[in-house]
Amino acid sequence: MAARDEDPRLELFKKRDKLNAQLLQVNSQVKMKQRAARSTELTIAEVKDLPPNTNTYRTVGRMFLASPLPQVLKDLGTFLEETKTEISQMESKQNYLVKQAKSLAEELKQ
């Protein structure tokens, strides 16, 4: 009978550990995306000040392709918007995981 009493608690501990691992993973992904967004914002700020006829290049794999400045700015802006969207989605997931962790902690207290 004691084994049956421990099984639900053991499952709750396993769920808690899994939630904590997911939360750590989401936190690191959010930080990584925030760094990428900040880097892109800085790049846009620097590139905006260049004259329109400046030779610009973008990376494709391990090579650089010449691209017109307006296209580079457009690509950077698109990347920035996509990154911000991903960050907001990850933050929603992060909030959901935190709520689950809190409810699981309440279950463990009982």
Side-chain angles (χ1 to χ4, degrees):
M1 185 135 189
R4 288 184 185 165
D5 291 337
E6 291 177 2
D7 284 343
R9 289 213 33 101
L10 185 61
E11 288 179 29
L12 290 176
F13 283 120
K14 286 181 182 180
K15 279 185 182 180
R16 183 192 64 187
D17 292 343
K18 185 177 177 182
L19 276 174
N20 286 339
Q22 288 176 339
L23 194 55
L24 285 173
Q25 183 180 12
V26 170
N27 286 341
S28 67
Q29 288 174 345
V30 167
K31 286 180 184 177
M32 183 181 70
K33 290 291 183 181
Q34 287 173 337
R35 274 187 243 120
R38 181 67 181 140
S39 173
T40 304
E41 288 171 349
L42 292 172
T43 303
I44 289 172
E46 291 295 320
V47 172
K48 259 187 193 175
D49 297 335
L50 296 174
N53 60 352
T54 303
N55 292 333
T56 54
Y57 300 88
R58 61 185 177 100
T59 58
V60 178
R62 291 167 58 178
M63 65 182 200
F64 297 94
L65 291 178
S67 298
L69 183 60
Q71 183 63 39
V72 170
L73 285 170
K74 180 183 172 197
D75 292 344
L76 287 171
T78 302
F79 178 76
L80 182 61
E81 290 304 314
E82 290 172 358
T83 303
K84 286 184 178 183
T85 302
E86 290 173 2
I87 289 171
S88 69
Q89 290 172 348
M90 285 183 203
E91 286 174 342
S92 297
K93 184 176 180 178
Q94 187 178 33
N95 291 336
Y96 173 74
L97 290 173
V98 167
K99 287 178 186 176
Q100 277 190 325
K102 285 181 182 177
S103 69
L104 193 60
E106 289 297 320
E107 284 183 49
L108 284 172
K109 285 181 183 178
Q110 295 174 359

